[in-house]
């Protein structure tokens, strides 16, 4: 239906076509939205992989999530980083499916975590090892790549694993995402 609506305050009226129902959204638009989401998830997972394999794992820098625990166990016990991340994330996925919306949550999150975990182990032998010799630069570069990759994944409503799933669960329980790490700062 074509409905006259104000275009901008003080700029007059314009005629805009408004959709009556969600079912009127063209299938083509839905498909392109999904393709865009999965491209963002794939790019984010690969950027996360580069951050881990190029800078964090070689310098034994443990970020503050399951990836950090995976790096520690890799260097002390020899377990592959990606396999460890995948195994630890399984119980958290079950909680996420229960509390965050079932398959609508599970599909993008599972895709991202599987891709990220497998790529960390499979791409490590193919990537250059010593891009820098300075551990401080490795920390900065790894942090930047991990932040950009995580941002891309969150933008597409995905999850990178354990802490991102737990953060989304806290956010759905009325804790803001910024204060999720501090449960005592509950805001309504």
């Amino acid at each position: 239906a074509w409905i006259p609506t104000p275009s901008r305050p003080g700029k007059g009226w314009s005629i805009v076509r408004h959709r009556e129902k969600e079912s009127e959204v063209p299938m083509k638009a839905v498909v392109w939205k999904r393709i865009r989401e999965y491209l963002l998830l794939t790019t984010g997972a690969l950027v996360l992989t580069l951050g881990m394999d190029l800078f964090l794992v070689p310098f034994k820098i443990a970020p503050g999530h399951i990836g950090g625990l995976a790096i520690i166990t890799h260097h002390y016990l020899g377990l592959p980083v990606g396999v460890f991340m995948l195994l630890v994330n399984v119980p958290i996925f079950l909680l996420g499916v229960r509390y965050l919306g079932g398959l609508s949550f599970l599909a993008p999150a599972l895709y991202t975590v599987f891709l990220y975990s497998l790529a960390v182990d499979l791409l490590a032998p193919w990537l250059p090892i010593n891009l820098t010799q300075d551990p401080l630069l490795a920390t900065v570069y790894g942090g930047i790549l991990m932040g950009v990759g995580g941002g891309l994944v969150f933008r597409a409503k995905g999850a990178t694993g354990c802490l991102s799933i737990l953060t989304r669960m806290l956010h759905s329980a009325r804790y803001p995402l910024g204060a999720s790490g501090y449960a005592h700062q509950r805001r309504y």
Side-chain angles (χ1 to χ4, degrees), residues 115-162:
L115 181 63
Y116 176 37
S117 299
L118 293 175
V120 164
D121 287 341
L122 295 178
L123 292 180
W126 300 98
L127 295 174
I129 293 175
N130 294 325
L131 292 180
T132 181
Q133 298 297 323
D134 187 10
L136 181 61
L137 282 177
T139 304
V140 170
Y141 296 153
I144 289 171
L145 287 175
M146 298 295 282
V148 168
L152 289 171
V153 169
F154 280 124
R155 175 113 180 154
K157 296 179 178 69
T160 57
C162 181

Side-chain angles (χ1 to χ4, degrees), residues 21-84:
K21 301 176 186 173
E22 186 68 28
S23 63
E24 288 186 20
V25 175
M27 188 62 171
K28 188 175 183 181
V30 173
V31 169
W32 280 111
K33 181 181 176 187
R34 291 283 181 238
I35 288 172
R36 181 182 170 273
E37 285 177 0
Y38 278 90
L39 281 174
L40 281 174
L41 291 172
T42 303
T43 305
L46 293 177
V47 171
L48 285 165
T49 298
L50 291 176
M52 286 286 275
D53 282 343
L54 292 176
F55 300 108
L56 300 182
V57 174
F59 285 93
K60 301 176 185 173
I61 299 169
H65 56 82
I66 294 302
L69 189 58
I71 290 173
I72 292 170
T73 57
H74 171 70
H75 286 291
Y76 284 114
L77 302 176
L79 296 173
V81 175
V83 171
F84 182 83

Side-chain angles (χ1 to χ4, degrees), residues 170 172-176 179 182-188:
L170 283 173
S172 69
R174 298 176 54 142
Y175 286 102
Y182 306 100
H184 65 279
Q185 296 181 353
R186 188 168 186 174
R187 297 180 194 163
Y188 293 100

Side-chain angles (χ1 to χ4, degrees), residues 8-22:
R8 279 187 252 142
K11 296 290 182 181
W13 292 77
S14 65
I15 297 178
V16 179
R17 183 168 189 235
H18 289 279
R19 301 198 191 284
E20 300 283 331
K21 301 176 186 173
E22 186 68 28

